[in-house]
Amino acid sequence: MRDKALFNATRRQILTAGGGAVLISSLPLSAFADEADLLRARTDLFGDRPIQEERVTVKLPPIAENGHSVPLSVSVDSPMTDDDYVKQIAILSPRNTLPLIGQFHLTPFSGKAQVSTRIRMSGTQAIQAVAEMSDGSLWAGSTETVVTLAACVVL
Amino acid sequence: MTGIRLSVPETAARGEVVEIKALLRHPMESGFRRGSRGEVIPRDIITRFECDLDGTLVFASDFHPAIAANPLITFHMRATESGVLTFRWTDQNGEVWSDTASIAVT
Amino acid sequence: MMRWVFASGLVFVAGCMSEADNPDSAIIAKEDLQSGFSFLTAETQRLQTDEFENPAYLWVDRGADLFTHSTDASPACASCHKDGLVGVAAQYPKFHESSGELLNLEGRINQCRTEHQGQAPWAYESDELLSITAYVAEQSKGMPIDIEVSEAMQPYVDKGRDYFLTRRGQFNLSCQQCHTENWGTQLRGDTISQGHGNGFPAYRLEWQLIGSLQRRLRDCDTGVRAEPLPYGDPTYLAVELYLATRANGLEIETPAVRR
């Protein structure tokens, strides 16, 4: 016969059990960044030159199940010829401790302005990509992802 | 060598845009984590990735602590000439990991 | 067998079969068996199935290297195992007649390491043991777990089953309550799977590296605030065996990717 007592776990018991190991291990060393930090990082990189919200597409999964490793893909609408190409793409976060996630440096040899990597995200947020063209113009795009298990102990 | 995985097509038609992938085994320790005894785990990250074709830079990237462990990077190259692609990762202390792959352009 | 579903705090019986059909309440009926893979998001599934991007292959590569080249004076694994070890992982843990011990794949590899290579065994979670275990297990990828319980193995199966059914830790929960009665339900943004070991050693995004099945068991025990057993503990070996009998027929996925 089955032991009825085995089935007495409450939902609360189960719900609190799971993240235990994560919760006790640590707290972040520094406060999360916010939108202002993102803007500051952007200014550090590009000064106060105008940025147009166009031509840049950021692809992230709608839901990321672990903030330690979220697939990111960014593409820029550009012919990628010798005299008209994307020079740089900066990936920025409004919520990680450090707003600058990474920078990609492209060349006319790149052929196609599309780069992918995997990033850390300390929670649900909109990741922004800013592209600098060979003529100096700046373009941006962003996408929001819901992070179910944040890398909050990491970043 | 183990610890690096490269995906580069062996051949490409002249002018074709090819996809290149590079994966390095590295913890990308952010410097923001604490160990089991509460001690700060020191930062240990790759800061720069470069790919060149016979000495001409094709693509580069600056990594910060929010690039995930075992960094994967996928980018593109317009095939113009046959040659050897060199992939180079440099960490915060200047240590370098590198590997090569050749591509024949027809 | 019975499945219980938790919905808005209430417990419902979702489906019943008579006890006689399946005397072991922890065994999931064959038609309901599902790998942890089916509880992942599409992106994580893609990361596992893409043999270039799956980061666990960084360890499989190293395992292949360790298998074919010996770094010391001892003969390389490949010198004795010329045709590789295809299908072997699907039969582990296995009872080793000559030593009279139950061995998981790690233990069997270490036995060759000491007996045939004259070297000290590799430690659990050492890069070497993880790499070579992943390399050997990957050779059985796609093959169904195939455990035949001999008379000598039965006591280990029973011991593993006991551990599986026993409540423990501050949360007073058993493996059974999560992995047999509540698979498919959400737990802090995680979906509880049926708790099979068919993907291990596996790359967990949370670990940011590859880890053994015993590391996963230690995480589950820690999750309910129970003191985890030490690596290689005979009870964990028995649990591994019980899990394998419970997952009989499920395909090996090593090296899997998990949250």
Side-chain angles (χ1 to χ4, degrees):
Chain A
M1 276 317 295
R2 304 158 150 285
D3 173 6
K4 284 289 174 214
L6 275 177
F7 301 109
N8 287 341
T10 64
R11 182 174 171 78
R12 175 188 298 273
Q13 245 180 323
I14 300 215
L15 283 174
T16 43
V22 179
L23 285 181
I24 38 183
S25 57
S26 49
L27 286 166
L29 294 181
S30 38
F32 296 133
D34 59 20
E35 207 68 43
D37 291 307
L38 186 153
L39 295 176
R40 215 170 297 125
R42 226 167 69 169
T43 310
D44 287 346
L45 288 172
F46 305 113
D48 45 18
R49 289 145 62 194
I51 300 177
Q52 286 151 279
E53 304 261 336
E54 251 178 277
R55 295 176 67 177
V56 179
T57 308
V58 178
K59 261 204 210 153
L60 287 160
I63 293 176
E65 52 192 347
N66 192 303
H68 282 302
S69 180
V70 185
L72 165 106
S73 177
V74 53
S75 56
V76 184
D77 178 12
S78 159
M80 294 304 279
T81 56
D82 282 356
D83 43 31
D84 184 2
Y85 63 95
V86 179
K87 264 170 60 182
Q88 182 187 179
I89 305 170
I91 310 297
L92 297 157
S93 155
R95 191 157 172 202
N96 289 359
T97 307
L98 296 178
L100 184 55
I101 293 176
Q103 291 150 276
F104 307 128
H105 306 281
L106 288 77
T107 67
F109 297 108
S110 298
K112 184 174 176 185
Q114 185 184 323
V115 183
S116 319
T117 188
R118 302 186 70 92
I119 65 168
R120 292 177 172 140
M121 294 177 69
S122 64
T124 298
Q125 56 181 301
I127 297 293
Q128 189 177 82
V130 181
E132 181 179 27
M133 305 296 184
S134 51
D135 67 4
S137 63
L138 297 170
W139 306 82
S142 70
T143 295
E144 185 171 82
T145 291
V146 174
V147 179
T148 49
L149 245 179
C152 55
V153 293
V154 183
L155 285 169
Chain B
M1 79 168 261
T2 66
I4 293 177
R5 306 194 106 214
L6 302 175
S7 166
V8 177
E10 281 169 28
T11 60
R14 193 172 306 278
E16 184 186 346
V17 174
V18 297
E19 185 186 69
I20 296 175
K21 296 185 190 188
L23 182 63
L24 173 74
R25 186 172 153 182
H26 193 281
M28 288 297 288
E29 189 58 59
S30 67
F32 297 121
R33 291 203 305 172
R34 289 181 191 275
S36 51
R37 269 161 260 99
E39 77 286 5
V40 175
I41 305 172
R43 180 168 301 174
D44 175 14
I45 66 165
I46 296 291
T47 50
R48 180 83 175 169
F49 167 76
E50 285 174 355
C51 173
D52 70 61
L53 179 68
D54 293 327
T56 304
L57 189 71
V58 172
F59 176 86
S61 179
D62 295 310
F63 290 1
H64 299 279
I67 296 293
N70 306 305
L72 166 73
I73 189 123
T74 305
F75 56 96
H76 295 81
M77 180 181 80
R78 189 185 305 281
T80 49
E81 279 170 74
S82 300
V84 175
L85 285 162
T86 301
F87 299 80
R88 200 178 297 103
W89 291 260
T90 308
D91 77 3
Q92 60 192 39
N93 304 315
E95 193 181 335
V96 174
W97 289 257
S98 90
D99 203 354
T100 58
S102 49
I103 181 166
V105 175
T106 54
Chain C
M1 83 129 216
M2 281 190 187
R3 267 204 57 210
W4 295 71
V5 174
F6 287 72
S8 44
L10 297 169
V11 182
F12 296 103
V13 182
C16 286
M17 272 164 52
S18 77
E19 290 283 323
D21 293 341
N22 198 338
D24 184 346
S25 62
I27 299 279
I28 292 167
K30 203 157 195 88
E31 64 272 20
D32 288 336
L33 265 191
Q34 276 180 59
S35 161
F37 182 84
S38 39
F39 301 93
L40 303 171
T41 61
E43 285 76 21
T44 309
Q45 290 183 340
R46 253 197 306 279
L47 186 61
Q48 172 172 320
T49 50
D50 184 322
E51 290 193 6
F52 179 81
E53 294 195 9
N54 180 339
Y57 275 95
L58 290 163
W59 280 263
V60 173
D61 289 350
R62 167 130 208 251
D65 201 44
L66 285 167
F67 196 83
T68 40
H69 309 284
S70 169
T71 50
D72 38 54
S74 59
C77 318
S79 69
C80 296
H81 300 291
K82 289 194 178 58
D83 300 325
L85 290 159
V86 177
V88 168
Q91 298 171 4
Y92 272 74
K94 197 175 186 176
F95 187 72
H96 193 245
E97 301 288 346
S98 54
S99 63
E101 290 174 274
L102 179 71
L103 294 175
N104 59 6
L105 196 54
E106 286 90 341
R108 186 62 187 89
I109 289 168
N110 264 336
Q111 201 167 54
C112 277
R113 181 98 184 121
T114 51
E115 277 178 20
H116 294 300
Q117 294 189 314
Q119 301 293 323
W122 283 310
Y124 266 94
E125 307 317 284
S126 66
D127 203 70
E128 288 83 1
L129 191 56
L130 287 170
S131 299
I132 203 147
T133 309
Y135 172 70
V136 172
E138 201 268 349
Q139 295 177 39
S140 301
K141 191 167 129 179
M143 298 182 178
I145 293 181
D146 182 18
I147 302 285
E148 229 181 286
V149 179
S150 65
E151 210 174 307
M153 283 159 82
Q154 193 57 51
Y156 297 97
V157 174
D158 294 344
K159 182 174 172 175
R161 180 172 182 275
D162 269 359
Y163 197 82
F164 196 86
L165 294 176
T166 307
R167 292 163 168 257
R168 64 178 50 81
Q170 271 177 40
F171 289 100
N172 197 29
L173 288 169
S174 66
C175 318
Q176 162 88 345
Q177 285 171 297
C178 283
H179 291 301
T180 309
E181 293 158 17
N182 281 292
W183 58 267
T185 59
Q186 292 287 314
L187 177 64
R188 284 182 174 270
D190 211 347
T191 309
I192 303 178
S193 74
Q194 298 176 351
H196 301 303
N198 59 318
F200 287 80
Y203 187 93
R204 262 193 87 198
L205 302 178
E206 186 61 34
W207 296 332
Q208 309 185 63
L209 48 82
I210 198 169
S212 68
L213 177 54
Q214 295 214 356
R215 181 169 182 193
R216 176 68 250 189
L217 300 184
R218 285 170 56 88
D219 277 10
C220 281
D221 275 345
T222 309
V224 296
R225 309 272 164 89
E227 186 61 42
L229 301 176
Y231 281 109
D233 190 283
T235 301
Y236 270 167
L237 278 178
V239 173
E240 280 194 48
L241 174 62
Y242 181 66
L243 289 180
T245 62
R246 194 174 164 267
N248 246 340
L250 215 56
E251 284 179 13
I252 301 274
E253 278 174 26
T254 313
V257 174
R258 296 290 185 261
R259 285 179 289 264

